[in-house]
Each structure stands twice: as C-alpha cells, then as structure tokens.
C-alpha cells in the first residue's frame, strides 16, 4: 500500500495545499476521511485528543444498527449504509456487525415510533414481522410488556462493534495514504478559496474543509459566524446483570417508546458477559464537553434516568437485576428536531459541516461519509438531505458577525 508521501509527494511540505481537511476523528470524520482518500483526494484528518479516546461520542464497543427509521432520508441512508458496513468488514477482515434483530415497541396512545417506522419498513420492503402479545410472550418469555403493546421485528437490526468500526475506518484511511494527526486541536479557521487552519502545532491550507467536531460543534462554528441550536448532554450508559447465566442471550435488541422522543433501548450482551446494555434516550444534564466529568457536573448530575431505568428493568426485564453493574458515560449533541445537520456553510461554500447527530448517528456513518465526500468534490448529495440543512433554523444560524 502506498505511503502518504508516495501517494502525494508534497503532502508533508509546509506549502502543501490539501484537497480536503477534516476536523474531528469521531465516526463521521473518520468515515468521511476514508471516502475522500478512496476518491484520490489529498486528505488530512485532525483530532484534538490522542486516539482512541472516550471523551466524544464514538467510543465504546456497541451501537444499535437498524433499517427501521421514521424518516425517508434515513431509510435511504441505511439502505446504502448496511452494505457499506459489510464491505468494510471484508476490507478489514473484521466482524463489525452482529445480527440480533430489533424490536420496536410502542404502547398506545403513544404509537408514533411504531406507526412511522413500520410504514418505512413496508415502503422499503425490509424484512419485518408484526408480533401480537401471544407471539411476543411465546417467543420472548424473558420480557414482560403490556397486552396492548404494538411490536414489530426488524430482522436485520443488530449491533455494530463501534470501537472496531472506528478503528477500521481510521486504519483504512491511513493504509490508503491519508494523514491522520492526533493531539492537534484546531484553534483558528480563516475562510477563503484556500482555507487556512491553525492548530496548536501547525498551519494547514485546504481547498475544502469538513467540520465533524461532535459535541464541540458550537465552539468550532461560532467564530465562523454560525450559532447552531445544539444541546450537549452527558449520557449515562448502564449495563444490567442477568440473574442466571445465559437467560437473556436470546433477547434481541429493542427500542421501547416512552413518550414522543423519549425511549429506552436495549442491546444484547456483547462487551461484558452476562450484562445487557439498557440506557435511556430522552434528556440528561446539559454540559460543556470540555468539562464532562467535573465534580460540579457530578454534583448536579441527575440520577433520575437511572431511577427510571431501575423501574423499567424491574417491570419489563424480570430476569435482570434492577441495579446497574456498570455505568459508562457518553455525550449526545442534539438538535431541536433530532435531525442531523449536514450542509455547507451558508456563506463559505467550501466549508462543509456535519454535527448534531442527536444520539443516532453511528449507524449512518458510511452514508454520511459518502455524502460529505461528494460535497467536497463539488457534487450534490445523492440522497435528499434538505431536512438536514441550516435553512431549517432561524436565519440559517448565521450570526451578525457572519452577515457583516
Ligand atoms: C450513549 C450513546 C448511545 C448511542 N447509541 C447509538 C446507537 O445505538 N446507534 C447509533 O447509530 N448511534 C448511537 N449513538 C450516537 C452516535 O454514537 C453518535 O451520533 C456519533 O458517534 C457521533 O459521531 P461524531 O463523529 O459526530 O462525534 P464524535 O465521536 O464526538 O467525534 C468528534 C471528534 O471531533 C474532535 N474535535 C472536536 N473539536 C476539535 C478541534 N477543535 N480540533 C480537533 N478535533 C476536534 C473530538 O475530539 C472528537 O473526537 C449513541 C451515542 C451515545 C452517546
């Protein structure tokens, strides 16, 4: 495989002008870097921390993958993402996807998740099945959901091995000649036909800049005249011990709708033997990503999600201990409508932004990377992502600084 300097002879020169520079080596930046280098673009990926790290949103071993989505654009993105994850598995000879099936459960009158996702499953002809109460009880006696629950199975749903997926993208990027620089924090961006990017260590020139800074998006975008309505929260990720060895091994992944956009979801044992991952998605403490775990945050940290989950486990998963064994931490970066932001800077069209993944972006990464790469090549997205634009927000998020 060509080394970076063989592939692009001037790549390390101080005068090098990159085709693409990407800020943030989480799953979105890493997937985008992979796509760009595969297209022959001279690409550099900058990450503020030493890799791997657990201070963003892409760490940990597992994420849900599913076809079932409420919106057409994500169904289209998953249509291309599923085979792309499989391609990455082959390319890196690494298992990244574990098929478990995924149950979507709503309890009337709260049924929007069930109705909209089922409609998409039918529209896209995805393998699925509706389970009535009898079938649910018979096939999954380990769970206990009310008689009037609405349930369907997405047969292709499962778990992505998140840490391995992240590493796979980064390794392939480097193998193909890309430059990945760790411990380089971007401090200043000067827009122009050639964008100047200054870090704590060097200054770079690039024709296209892609910003995938996760929870740091507001900090990166504000100096560029964009004030995005993002909420960054600290998420508890609890794991629950089974009462007897193996009793939960056949339970598929699932999402249970509590309220409109509040869910509890569960992932089959993967990273820790005998432990089921069951977190809450629906509000947590707002934090500054640079101070995620400070004593202050611990002190004000709401444990109400853990209390809610304890009640949920006791009621619906009687074969799990209703006290978490392990609690890990992650961050959500949420938009008001829970839709991602993927767009060009409204004024500087060679600056492309992806942020606000709202707690569901991991599985989409192959498609996100392909779209961002196409945009960097001056093409339009092949999937209609109008719903993800800055335009949906007031003044396209432009501040007075940018409008001057
Ligand atoms: C608890 C939890 C559960 C989740 N479950 C699922 C799930 O089941 N399925 C699913 O699909 N998704 C899930 N998600 C969401 C998914 O993990 C995220 O949407 C995704 O990881 C976001 O990736 P990212 O690349 O945008 O951000 P990040 O991974 O945070 O990457 C951003 C990177 O940018 C770097 N950076 C920021 N600023 C700078 C700078 N100035 N200079 C250099 N580098 C910088 C950061 O250090 C960071 O590494 C979950 C998220 C959490 C927290």
């Amino acid at each position: 495989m060509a080394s970076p300097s063989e592939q692009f002879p001037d790549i390390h020169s101080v005068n090098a002008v990159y085709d693409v520079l990407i800020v943030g080596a989480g799953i979105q930046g890493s997937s985008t870097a992979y796509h760009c280098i595969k297209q022959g673009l001279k690409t550099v990926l900058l990450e503020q921390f030493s890799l791997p790290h657990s201070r963003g949103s892409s760490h940990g071993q597992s994420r849900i993958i599913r076809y079932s989505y409420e919106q057409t654009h994500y169904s289209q993105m998953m249509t291309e993402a599923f085979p792309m994850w499989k391609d990455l598995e082959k390319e890196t000879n690494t298992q990244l996807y574990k098929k478990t099936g995924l149950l979507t459960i709503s309890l009337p009158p709260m049924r929007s998740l069930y109705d909209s996702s089922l409609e998409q499953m039918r529209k896209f002809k995805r393998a699925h099945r509706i389970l009535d109460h009898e079938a649910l009880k018979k096939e999954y006696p380990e769970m206990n959901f009310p008689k009037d629950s609405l349930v369907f199975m997405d047969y292709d749903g499962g778990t992505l091995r998140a840490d391995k997926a992240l590493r796979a993208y980064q390794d392939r990027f480097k193998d193909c000649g890309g430059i990945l620089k760790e411990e380089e924090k971007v401090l200043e961006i000067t827009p122009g036909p050639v964008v100047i990017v200054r870090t704590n260590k060097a200054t770079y020139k690039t024709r296209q800049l892609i910003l995938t800074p996760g929870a740091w998006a507001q900090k990166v975008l504000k100096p560029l005249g964009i004030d995005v309505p993002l909420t960054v929260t600290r998420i508890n990720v609890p794991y629950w011990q089974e009462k007897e060895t193996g009793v939960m091994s056949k339970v598929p992944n699932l999402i249970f709708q509590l309220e409109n956009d509040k869910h509890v979801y569960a992932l089959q044992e993967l990273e820790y033997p005998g432990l089921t991952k069951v977190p809450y998605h629906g509000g947590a403490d707002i934090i500054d990503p640079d101070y995620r775990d400070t004593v202050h945050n611990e002190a004000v940290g709401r444990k109400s999600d853990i209390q809610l989950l304890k009640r949920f486990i006791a009621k619906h998963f009687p074969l799990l201990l209703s006290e978490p064994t392990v609690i890990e931490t992650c961050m959500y970066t949420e938009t008001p409508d829970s839709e991602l932001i993927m767009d060009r800077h409204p004024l500087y069209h060679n600056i492309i932004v992806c942020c606000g993944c709202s707690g569901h972006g991991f599985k989409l990464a192959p498609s996100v990377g392909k779209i961002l790469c196409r945009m960097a090549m001056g093409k339009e997205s092949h999937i209609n992502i109008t719903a993800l634009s800055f335009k949906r927000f007031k003044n396209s998020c432009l501040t007075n600084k940018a409008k001057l």
Side-chain angles (χ1 to χ4, degrees), residues 23-29 46-49 53 56-58 63-65 184-186 212-216 220 235 237 265 267 330-332 354 357-364:
V23 179
I27 195 65
Q28 310 304 9
L46 302 182
E47 168 55 47
Q48 63 181 338
F49 301 131
H53 73 85
S57 303
S58 300
R63 293 291 187 281
I64 285 179
I65 179 167
E184 281 220 44
K185 180 171 177 154
V186 171
T212 53
W216 286 264
V220 174
I235 305 293
V237 186
Y265 57 98
L267 285 83
C330 193
M331 287 190 292
Y332 278 177
C354 170
C357 291
S358 301
H360 63 98
F362 204 100
K363 67 184 92 53
L364 300 165

Side-chain angles (χ1 to χ4, degrees), residues 362-379:
F362 204 100
K363 67 184 92 53
L364 300 165
S367 180
V368 167
K370 182 174 171 187
I371 293 170
L372 295 178
C373 169
R374 281 179 64 90
M375 289 167 80
M377 293 171 80
K379 299 176 185 172

Side-chain angles (χ1 to χ4, degrees), residues 23 79 96 110 115 176 210 223 233 252 264 266 270 283 286 340 370:
V23 179
T79 299
L96 303 176
M110 203 53 62
D115 286 338
C176 295
I210 302 180
T233 51
V264 170
L270 183 97
I286 296 175
L340 276 64
K370 182 174 171 187

Side-chain angles (χ1 to χ4, degrees), residues 114-126:
Y114 174 88
D115 286 338
S116 314
S117 310
L118 186 58
E119 190 188 322
Q120 291 290 325
M121 293 297 281
R122 288 176 171 145
K123 186 168 146 190
F124 283 83
K125 298 188 170 50
R126 295 291 165 219

